[in-house]
Amino acid sequence: MSSDEIVDPTLQHDVSVRRVLLHLVLPLLALVLGIVAVIVIGLHSYRTTRAGVESLTHDLLGAVQHYIAQEVSDYIMPASAGNVIASGMIEHVPPAVQDKVFYSYGGAMLRSVPQLQSFYLADDSGRFTLITRHGKDGKEQERTTLQVKDGHQVFHHDYYTIDGTKTGEADDDAKDYDPRKRAWYQNTNGTNQIKWTQPYLFPTDKQFVMTSSLRFKGQDGHTLVFATNISLNELSAFLDNIKVGKSGNAIVLDSKGRVMAGRNLMQLAEAAGWDPNKMVLDPKTHPVFARGYDHYRVRGFGPRTFTLNKKRYVTIASPLPGSSEGWILLLSAPESDFASFAKQSSQQSLQFAGVIITFSLILAGLLIRQVRRSERNARLLARQKAQVTHETGAVQQVASTPRLFDPTNDSLVLTEQLAYVTHARRASIWRFLHDGSAMVCNDSYDEKQDAHSGGFEMSRSELDAFFKAVEEGEPFTVADAAVDERTTQFERLVMREAGTRMLSVYPIHEAGGVAGAVVLEDANMAPHLVYFVDLIAAIAGMRLAAAAQNTPEIDHPSEAGADHSTQAVQQASSLPTTQFDNMLMRAPEVAAVTTSGIYPAVAVLVITFSDPVVDGESETQALLALINQLASDVQRIAQDRKLFAVEVAGHRLICMAGCSTEEDATAIIRMADAALTMRETLMAALAAADLEPVFTMGLDYGAAFGGPVGADPQVFNLWGQTVSLAELMAQGASDAGTIQVTERVYAALRDRYLFRSRGTFFAPHLGLGQAYVLAARR
């Protein structure tokens, strides 16, 4: 046997072993290691979570404690700080104005600080003054003074509304009332510090009140005491709504265990017979707080844990800094409110671990199967890589564009890449209005000028053959668009200004039919890159479909631009209201102009009417009535759009907006909206009179200068190229009733209005320019 026929079986065996190790053992080993890692991480996560929850519980209780303590301090602060401020104000004023200062301060504080109930002012001679809340809602005020009438002491009450209007007055018997015998006055004896009384209740209006008072000297040498009553009801309402954990709560006690504020304060007061000294914690109604207070009395401030009715609770007692008589804040909550979090977290961790292990087993089996299949596909992918690399390079720029399918995003990259890849001079995307009456250019990119444009409109009446060719749904290419009957009008209106000849049209399809077209001009490579153009057309179709869903197609441009014109008029609402004089219309500011000025951004609209031909007196009177109606309509529209002025010059109307030394960005928008409205109004009026449209309109936007001319009365006049070009646009309009505009107007309004190209025109001293027809609002 020759050596060529000898086969080494160990060689194949080694290959098989390596393959088994690579495709079976290693994935299983990785799976086992992954499961072990999940278990270890789960146990570690459980322990860490439990420790973190315990720490978080203490931190949370401490945070709630500090928060409530600060709220309580802030609540009573106006009473203590207000005493210092008020006494400082009153002690430095003459006795004659003490009451006025007292009422001014008290009234302001009662209006702005809801927890303050009333203010007292008394001196060592027995004089007494009071200001307090009045009325059911507490927004009115009552001013009371202690007076002597007919030898008897009476309380004289004056009632005021919240704005200080006096509504009435009354007297009632004061009996033997002496403010110097009251607790709030006597507890200031021998001290110049703020003193607090014990809380007391008013059963009539259910107010739980404390009084702080401060003694000081007046300018006349008399000793005065200023006192503030503060309600604890709103503090109780705040504590009643506080939740510690899920079901915990808070309460405020004084050093003797009496309830100052907290849940069900009024019920507790009613049960105590409205006696504050009996308002103590009852183990039957407040078992948790009662047990927590007992722990505080034995062990002092700090967190405590105890079991009550087979349930563990956590309480924390802390002092309230700056409070009266050593108040204590007591918090309580079930321990389960915090510990349940750790239990739920551990259960979720175990569930997640089980899900991960299950998916790991499934993925391991799929991995083994996929690895075997990958070997068979690797060679095929290698052969295709070179071809795919070339093709993906062309679409990479498009694919990486953010918000590509968002219709609100311009996505200019589509037309740019079309022009770049197909070597087109110009690429554009057009869409049909839903009734097919017109096509609108969403975006057009000129590769030579590296510039985008859009907003052009083509009507079916002008390009019927082109519309029908697009609606057939099949792409077509024309070497010379000027000689093909399908594209002749398109070449005249769109292509001629750029000097292009070759035209390639690719319809954009959607579920309802043809939605528009991708148009390429002088695209030499388009026939060889049909797949790329189809891709861009598909993307454009999805964008048009999304735009149709999110923003319904606009059939009536007058409604579509309402938002733009309304916003522009609202921004110009500060302009003066228009008036009338020897001009057809002027703004009041025209009369105030005394010198000529240069205005950087003026919108000028010129409306030119044909000379009428009339026979007889009756026709003349009818024509004058129609002219008066048209003039009135123009006045009304000019007023609504806040135009600056309207002049009459023979058979011309000259409308102006933006005649100010500072640029008015809304002037051209308001003028364009006024022009469209005037066109519709004039055509309707002439149609009602059975007359053909006998007017043309021209619009320009730019710098101009103007000022008053003549002796009294002076008339405002405007000069400049802007006026001349607007008149030239009106005279050169192709059809009656159209609005022809300059390129400056198109550049300013292309995002808000629809235009169609009119071609070039020649202006003296300026040369050639581009003209457009303002068709409608977007």
Side-chain angles (χ1 to χ4, degrees):
M1 183 181 292
S2 65
S3 59
D4 295 336
E5 298 178 11
I6 299 175
V7 177
D8 185 3
T10 60
L11 180 62
Q12 183 67 27
H13 178 71
D14 292 341
V15 174
S16 300
V17 171
R18 287 196 298 270
R19 184 172 298 169
V20 170
L21 290 174
L22 179 64
H23 295 168
L24 184 60
V25 177
L26 289 181
L28 289 177
L29 180 60
L31 174 62
V32 173
L33 292 176
I35 294 174
V36 173
V38 169
I39 295 174
V40 173
I41 293 173
L43 291 175
H44 177 72
S45 175
Y46 172 77
R47 294 173 180 173
T48 304
T49 302
R50 189 170 185 83
V53 167
E54 293 176 356
S55 176
L56 179 61
T57 300
H58 292 288
D59 293 342
L60 179 59
L61 283 174
V64 174
Q65 168 203 340
H66 290 302
Y67 168 66
I68 299 177
Q70 184 61 46
E71 286 291 331
V72 175
S73 298
D74 292 343
Y75 187 89
I76 64 177
M77 184 273 293
S80 56
N83 287 355
V84 177
I85 296 173
S87 62
M89 296 168 57
I90 297 173
E91 71 178 345
H92 293 99
V93 299
V97 297
Q98 285 180 353
D99 287 347
K100 184 176 182 180
V101 174
F102 170 76
Y103 287 137
S104 297
Y105 172 82
M109 293 296 287
L110 292 177
R111 285 191 296 270
S112 58
V113 184
Q115 63 264 35
L116 298 181
Q117 293 299 307
S118 58
F119 298 93
Y120 303 152
L121 181 64
D123 63 11
D124 52 7
S125 64
R127 188 171 63 91
F128 174 75
T129 308
L130 161 70
I131 182 170
T132 185
R133 298 184 184 275
H134 179 67
K136 293 182 179 180
D137 56 1
K139 294 184 177 180
E140 299 178 354
Q141 295 179 6
E142 175 188 340
R143 300 177 183 179
T144 303
T145 56
L146 183 61
Q147 300 178 1
V148 177
K149 292 185 178 181
D150 300 328
H152 297 282
Q153 284 194 135
V154 295
F155 286 117
H156 180 73
H157 308 279
D158 294 317
Y159 303 101
Y160 293 85
T161 62
I162 190 173
D163 57 359
T165 302
K166 186 175 180 179
T167 59
E169 59 182 314
D171 291 331
D172 60 81
D173 188 10
K175 298 182 180 179
D176 296 325
Y177 181 84
D178 189 350
R180 295 167 294 184
K181 297 180 181 180
R182 296 295 173 174
W184 54 268
Y185 188 98
Q186 293 182 351
N187 65 2
T188 61
N189 289 332
T191 180
N192 57 359
Q193 301 295 322
I194 296 176
K195 301 297 291 183
W196 289 83
T197 65
Q198 291 297 325
Y200 50 94
L201 293 159
F202 289 98
T204 55
D205 55 2
K206 296 184 179 181
Q207 288 292 328
F208 194 32
V209 177
M210 289 184 64
T211 303
S212 65
S213 52
L214 180 65
R215 181 181 293 259
F216 59 97
K217 288 283 188 179
Q219 282 192 353
D220 56 357
H222 282 284
T223 298
L224 294 94
V225 174
F226 182 91
T228 303
N229 284 337
I230 182 169
S231 172
L232 300 180
N233 291 57
E234 293 194 18
L235 178 60
S236 296
F238 167 75
L239 294 177
D240 195 26
N241 293 325
I242 285 292
K243 295 297 182 184
V244 181
K246 294 182 179 179
S247 56
N249 215 304
I251 195 169
V252 176
L253 309 170
D254 67 1
S255 58
K256 297 181 181 180
R258 293 174 296 193
V259 179
M260 297 292 103
R263 173 172 291 184
N264 302 325
L265 181 67
M266 289 297 101
Q267 291 85 338
L268 185 62
E270 186 175 0
W274 305 101
D275 185 359
N277 292 320
K278 296 180 181 180
M279 293 176 57
V280 295
L281 290 174
D282 187 353
K284 295 181 180 180
T285 58
H286 298 82
V288 179
F289 281 125
R291 182 69 62 85
Y293 180 69
D294 291 339
H295 277 275
Y296 153 73
R297 290 193 296 172
V298 175
R299 306 170 63 183
F301 295 111
R304 302 290 179 260
T305 303
F306 56 86
T307 302
L308 183 63
N309 297 328
K310 298 181 180 180
K311 190 174 183 179
R312 293 188 60 80
Y313 291 89
V314 179
T315 63
I316 182 171
S318 63
L320 287 174
S323 60
S324 169
E325 302 297 327
W327 283 5
I328 301 163
L329 173 64
L330 188 62
L331 308 179
S332 71
E335 190 180 59
S336 59
D337 286 1
F338 306 97
S340 60
F341 175 81
K343 182 178 179 181
Q344 294 175 1
S345 178
S346 62
Q347 292 176 350
Q348 291 177 356
S349 298
L350 292 176
Q351 292 172 357
F352 290 152
V355 172
I356 292 173
I357 292 173
T358 301
F359 277 105
S360 298
L361 291 172
I362 296 174
L363 292 176
L366 294 176
L367 175 63
I368 295 172
R369 179 173 176 268
Q370 189 63 31
V371 168
R372 301 300 298 270
R373 297 182 62 182
S374 302
E375 292 180 346
R376 295 193 298 268
N377 296 331
R379 292 184 294 271
L380 179 62
L381 293 175
R383 290 194 298 267
Q384 294 178 346
K385 184 176 181 180
Q387 179 180 355
V388 173
T389 300
H390 178 71
E391 295 178 354
T392 54
V395 299
Q396 184 177 8
Q397 186 67 28
V398 175
S400 61
T401 302
R403 298 169 60 199
L404 180 62
F405 297 100
D406 185 356
T408 61
N409 181 26
D410 290 337
S411 292
L412 306 180
V413 68
L414 298 179
T415 51
E416 291 177 0
Q417 291 304 310
L418 277 171
Y420 173 76
V421 174
T422 62
H423 295 176
R425 162 64 193 277
R426 189 161 61 179
S428 56
I429 298 176
W430 298 75
R431 65 177 176 90
F432 279 112
L433 295 182
H434 93 283
D435 59 357
S437 62
M439 291 182 72
V440 178
C441 180
N442 278 7
D443 182 42
S444 177
Y445 175 70
D446 192 318
E447 190 274 336
K448 184 175 181 180
Q449 298 181 1
D450 191 24
H452 288 268
S453 58
F456 308 111
E457 178 196 281
M458 301 186 302
S459 65
R460 182 179 290 273
S461 60
E462 295 175 321
L463 294 95
D464 185 62
F466 181 79
F467 275 50
K468 290 180 179 179
V470 174
E471 290 173 339
E472 290 179 359
E474 296 295 329
F476 61 94
T477 299
V478 178
D480 189 354
V483 298
D484 192 295
E485 63 179 4
R486 297 173 297 178
T487 58
T488 299
Q489 294 299 320
F490 186 91
E491 188 275 338
R492 181 181 66 84
L493 294 176
V494 179
M495 300 175 61
R496 189 169 297 178
E497 61 176 302
T500 54
R501 295 184 58 191
M502 181 178 177
L503 183 66
S504 299
V505 180
Y506 297 82
I508 298 174
H509 297 272
E510 64 174 8
V514 178
V518 173
V519 178
L520 305 175
E521 299 172 38
D522 287 353
N524 298 323
M525 293 296 295
H528 308 289
L529 296 170
V530 177
Y531 75 96
F532 180 78
V533 181
D534 288 343
L535 174 63
I536 300 300
I539 295 174
M542 286 185 281
R543 287 172 53 82
L544 294 181
Q549 293 176 358
N550 297 334
T551 304
E553 187 67 37
I554 297 171
D555 295 329
H556 302 286
S558 62
E559 299 176 1
D563 289 341
H564 297 300
S565 61
T566 301
Q567 294 174 2
V569 172
Q570 290 176 350
Q571 294 177 17
S573 60
S574 61
L575 297 178
T577 304
T578 51
Q579 298 177 353
F580 303 94
D581 57 6
N582 56 317
M583 305 174 74
L584 181 60
M585 190 211 79
R586 70 171 179 85
E589 60 186 9
V590 171
V593 178
T594 57
T595 59
S596 299
I598 298 177
Y599 312 126
V602 179
V604 179
L605 173 67
V606 176
I607 307 176
T608 303
F609 292 87
S610 301
D611 290 329
V613 178
V614 294
D615 294 325
E617 181 67 18
S618 60
E619 292 186 5
T620 302
Q621 294 299 326
L623 180 61
L624 290 175
L626 177 61
I627 293 174
N628 181 62
Q629 177 187 348
L630 298 180
S632 300
D633 290 336
V634 170
Q635 285 179 331
R636 174 180 52 80
I637 296 170
Q639 285 182 304
D640 291 342
R641 301 307 186 274
K642 297 291 184 178
L643 301 189
F644 181 80
V646 178
E647 292 183 352
V648 181
H651 61 279
R652 293 176 301 161
L653 290 176
I654 304 174
C655 305
M656 295 165 275
C659 296
S660 58
T661 55
E662 295 183 359
E663 183 174 350
D664 180 4
T666 67
I668 184 60
I669 301 174
R670 290 184 283 113
M671 182 61 78
D673 187 66
L676 291 172
T677 306
M678 288 179 185
R679 181 184 67 180
E680 296 173 1
T681 304
L682 296 179
M683 293 185 71
L686 293 173
D690 197 20
L691 296 175
E692 295 294 329
V694 293
F695 67 93
T696 56
M697 307 173 76
L699 178 60
D700 191 24
Y701 178 58
F705 64 96
V709 295
D712 188 23
Q714 292 182 315
V715 179
F716 181 83
N717 200 20
L718 192 70
W719 299 271
Q721 292 180 346
T722 302
V723 181
S724 302
L725 288 178
E727 185 171 2
L728 182 62
M729 291 294 99
Q731 294 173 352
S734 58
D735 299 314
T738 60
I739 306 172
Q740 186 165 260
V741 304
T742 63
E743 191 168 5
R744 294 187 293 191
V745 176
Y746 166 74
L749 299 178
R750 53 171 291 187
D751 293 334
R752 293 182 170 89
Y753 295 84
L754 300 179
F755 297 86
R756 60 174 178 266
S757 179
R758 175 73 174 86
T760 57
F761 70 93
F762 177 80
H765 309 295
L766 294 178
L768 292 176
Q770 191 70 28
Y772 299 86
V773 173
L774 174 60
R777 307 176 183 90
R778 277 187 180 273

